[in-house]
Amino acid sequence: MEIEFADSSYDRLEVDASYTGKFSASVVKAYRKRIQLIRGAEDERDFYALKSLHFEKLSGDRDGQFSMRLNDQWRLILELKRESKGKLVVIISITDYH
């Protein structure tokens, strides 16, 4: 799947090894693993198949967005958009759920 970043700092977090964006090393490592997983996925069914991701559709003020677990505390918030080439994942934020 293709990825787009709502904020350029999330793009930098993926590619710049020295940049942590004020997140802990474990969160950055998990984020980079999730980005690789997203890039290798055919579609969102691959996310649902991996129960450890806790991939779920959000509601309320986050209607239309999805959540994916980075660790027990942090979640990756994303949106799915349909394009002519397939689906596009837009990385919205990394959010503390506690």
Side-chain angles (χ1 to χ4, degrees):
M1 295 178 82
E2 293 294 317
I3 297 179
E4 188 176 283
F5 300 91
D7 183 329
S8 62
S9 65
Y10 295 117
D11 184 21
R12 183 176 175 200
L13 191 60
E14 177 191 11
V15 297
D16 186 347
S18 64
Y19 182 69
T20 64
K22 299 183 181 178
F23 295 107
S24 70
S26 65
V27 171
V28 172
K29 183 178 179 180
Y31 171 79
R32 290 177 179 152
K33 282 179 71 174
R34 294 297 180 261
I35 294 297
Q36 288 178 349
L37 178 97
I38 292 168
R39 289 193 190 280
E42 289 289 323
D43 59 29
E44 70 272 14
R45 291 177 293 188
D46 292 346
F47 308 147
Y48 284 114
L50 292 169
K51 299 295 182 197
S52 62
L53 294 179
H54 295 268
F55 185 70
E56 56 190 26
K57 189 172 185 174
L58 302 176
S59 60
D61 60 343
R62 290 204 178 265
D63 191 39
Q65 296 180 343
F66 294 83
S67 166
M68 182 183 291
R69 178 180 275 187
L70 294 176
N71 64 21
D72 287 340
Q73 181 177 356
W74 294 90
R75 304 289 187 273
L76 181 62
I77 308 299
L78 51 95
E79 291 179 354
L80 299 173
K81 295 186 177 182
R82 187 171 307 278
E83 290 202 328
S84 60
K85 298 177 271 180
K87 290 208 176 166
L88 172 73
V89 175
V90 181
I91 304 299
I92 304 298
S93 66
I94 297 174
T95 304
D96 182 350
Y97 261 44
H98 293 293

